[in-house]
Amino acid sequence: MSFISAIGVAVPEHVFSQPVIASFMERTMQPDYTANRKLHAIFRASGIETRHSVLDDYGKQSDYSFYPNTKNFEPFPSTQARLEAYRKHALPLSLRAIENCLSQQAAINRKDITHLIQVSCTGMYAPGLDIDLIRHLNLNEHVQRTCINFMGCYAAFNALKLANALCKSERHAVVLVVCTELCTLHFQKEPTEDNLLANALFADGAGALLVTSSPQPGWNLVPEHFHNGLAFNGKEHMAWDIGNHGFEMKLSTYVPDTIRTGIKKLTSELLNQFQKNIGDISSFAIHPGGKKILEAIEQELGISQEENKPAYAVLKKYGNMSSATILFVLHHIMQQLQPQDTDKLVLSFAFGPGLTLESMLLKTHYQ
């Protein structure tokens, strides 16, 4: 078996309210009247109050430190400049999330960690973040490393699948997973509908979790099963490309409808393997890709907004931090567990390019 025995999270120090970010977007994107009305409508309806960034520019009106101090923001930062910023900021943010995670299980020595899984879709370099983490954490140099890159918001599920398999196959496995996303480095200023949506949702954050082959003191989450699907009719509605001026998100307003058409089938296929139904689920850990996505899932599965509260809480405070976000939701759930909550089922979802639908069933366990 495998056990998620600790989850740590971290966000950058710069935090901005949605109106402040909207003001920055208005100045930089320079939308026409119609696009400007749409921009503010999207921000108001986002369900987000604050977001974090490694850049302080989003709270400024001038004297920018990353973006050019020109009227049209040209020359717009290149992909090279953005990845240099990723290299500068990803390590310290990752370390904070990991330290927060490891501090919860003091009995586990860092030298006991056998595997490191590093996840990101917002930056890369080589030698990479994985090697930097080993050096700064003073891990065993023989720790086995795996990097999961450019898979988007559902990548943490692939990391957990791998960690689960490792713990089941190696009786002394101790797996450290870290998801680090600096989405705000990839701001695009053309006032397209895709950019308006992306600029209203995405933020920076890191999450880390410890997966062990035996339960650790306190609360553990036990992965029972994983199940995934592909909605090929949504292939054009969510994509992630590398452009000359950063990574470019394609995110259409049809994503909630695409998820709606596949989520019930995905859930039934997962739960039927255990002769369970939606009424047997005690907690929901749903990736808050956006408020409309959460509402679509609630309608299809017949669950209430109150039952989906962890996702809304993370969305409201942090926005969408791509792969790291689901770790924030699971962290929120673990923080709320009470003695009577042992052996309860948690159903989790995340979504990404493809259009990929990922699901996971977990059980709570107190040691």
Side-chain angles (χ1 to χ4, degrees):
M1 296 180 69
S2 71
F3 300 83
I4 301 171
S5 55
I7 302 177
V9 297
V11 288
E13 62 176 315
H14 305 300
V15 57
F16 311 105
S17 67
Q18 281 289 74
V20 167
I21 300 172
S23 178
F24 174 88
M25 298 301 171
E26 188 174 9
R27 290 193 302 276
T28 54
M29 300 181 80
Q30 300 177 11
D32 60 22
Y33 176 77
T34 301
N36 190 47
R37 284 176 58 88
K38 184 177 291 186
L39 182 154
H40 286 280
I42 292 171
F43 270 73
R44 286 194 301 270
S46 66
I48 300 170
E49 288 188 0
T50 54
R51 286 184 282 163
H52 293 74
S53 174
V54 295
L55 304 177
D56 61 1
D57 284 358
Y58 298 108
K60 295 180 176 179
Q61 297 188 17
S62 61
D63 299 323
Y64 302 113
S65 56
F66 182 73
Y67 294 105
N69 286 283
T70 59
K71 185 177 180 180
N72 59 359
F73 282 71
E74 295 291 343
F76 206 45
S78 65
T79 300
Q80 179 182 359
R82 296 171 196 253
L83 291 183
E84 287 174 354
Y86 178 91
R87 187 167 191 160
K88 174 183 177 182
H89 295 290
L91 177 61
L93 186 62
S94 301
L95 289 171
R96 286 176 50 211
I98 292 169
E99 296 288 359
N100 178 248
C101 174
L102 296 181
S103 67
Q104 300 168 37
Q105 294 294 346
I108 293 182
N109 190 292
R110 296 178 185 212
K111 296 296 185 181
D112 295 333
I113 295 173
T114 58
H115 299 77
L116 171 65
I117 303 173
Q118 184 258 313
V119 180
S120 188
C121 71
T122 50
M124 61 193 79
Y125 58 93
L129 179 57
D130 57 327
I131 294 176
D132 284 343
L133 288 171
I134 290 171
R135 182 165 57 91
H136 282 80
L137 291 167
N138 195 29
L139 302 183
N140 189 318
E141 66 179 81
H142 303 296
V143 66
Q144 296 187 46
R145 313 186 316 272
T146 303
C147 296
I148 297 175
N149 299 121
F150 220 69
M151 299 193 78
C153 297
Y154 67 92
F157 277 63
N158 280 4
L160 276 167
K161 289 176 189 178
L162 176 56
N164 179 59
L166 289 168
C167 288
K168 286 183 174 180
S169 63
E170 301 181 27
R171 57 182 299 199
H172 298 299
V174 178
V175 186
L176 177 62
V177 178
V178 58
C179 300
T180 305
E181 303 291 7
L182 308 185
C183 304
T184 67
L185 294 180
H186 300 289
F187 161 62
Q188 302 295 315
K189 66 185 178 72
E190 292 77 17
T192 64
E193 186 168 286
D194 288 342
N195 288 340
L196 290 173
L197 284 170
N199 293 342
L201 291 174
F202 287 95
D204 301 348
L209 50 80
L210 199 62
V211 186
T212 54
S213 53
S214 58
Q216 301 302 309
W219 283 106
N220 296 255
L221 292 176
V222 184
E224 294 283 300
H225 198 70
F226 299 88
H227 187 64
N228 68 283
L230 283 167
F232 288 116
N233 61 323
K235 182 180 178 182
E236 302 302 317
H237 300 315
M238 188 186 293
W240 193 222
D241 297 310
I242 299 177
N244 293 329
H245 300 285
F247 298 174
E248 300 170 357
M249 168 62 73
K250 179 172 179 58
L251 184 67
S252 86
T253 55
Y254 294 100
V255 170
D257 289 333
T258 305
I259 292 173
R260 184 196 305 273
T261 60
I263 195 68
K264 185 177 288 187
K265 178 175 181 288
L266 184 79
T267 304
S268 295
E269 290 172 346
L270 174 65
L271 295 181
N272 285 345
Q273 297 180 56
F274 297 91
Q275 291 78 51
K276 301 292 184 182
N277 56 56
I278 203 73
D280 296 314
I281 304 301
S282 295
S283 300
F284 293 88
I286 301 176
H287 169 69
K291 186 179 177 182
K292 288 188 176 181
I293 289 175
L294 296 179
E295 291 172 344
I297 293 170
E298 291 161 9
Q299 291 166 9
E300 283 302 298
L301 299 186
I303 64 175
S304 67
Q305 189 174 109
E306 180 64 24
E307 291 175 291
N308 202 12
K309 191 174 181 179
Y312 283 103
V314 171
L315 182 67
K316 180 180 179 179
K317 190 173 181 180
Y318 303 108
N320 184 343
M321 299 164 286
S322 192
S323 71
T325 321
I326 194 64
L327 302 191
F328 278 68
V329 178
L330 290 171
H331 177 262
H332 181 93
I333 289 173
M334 284 189 77
Q335 295 292 103
Q336 302 296 317
L337 291 174
Q338 300 296 319
Q340 66 271 21
D341 293 327
T342 191
D343 293 328
K344 301 293 186 180
L345 293 177
V346 180
L347 181 60
S348 185
F349 300 111
F351 320 98
L355 197 150
T356 302
L357 306 168
E358 289 281 354
S359 65
M360 171 174 60
L361 188 66
L362 306 109
K363 182 180 286 187
T364 60
H365 174 81
Y366 191 81
Q367 185 70 13

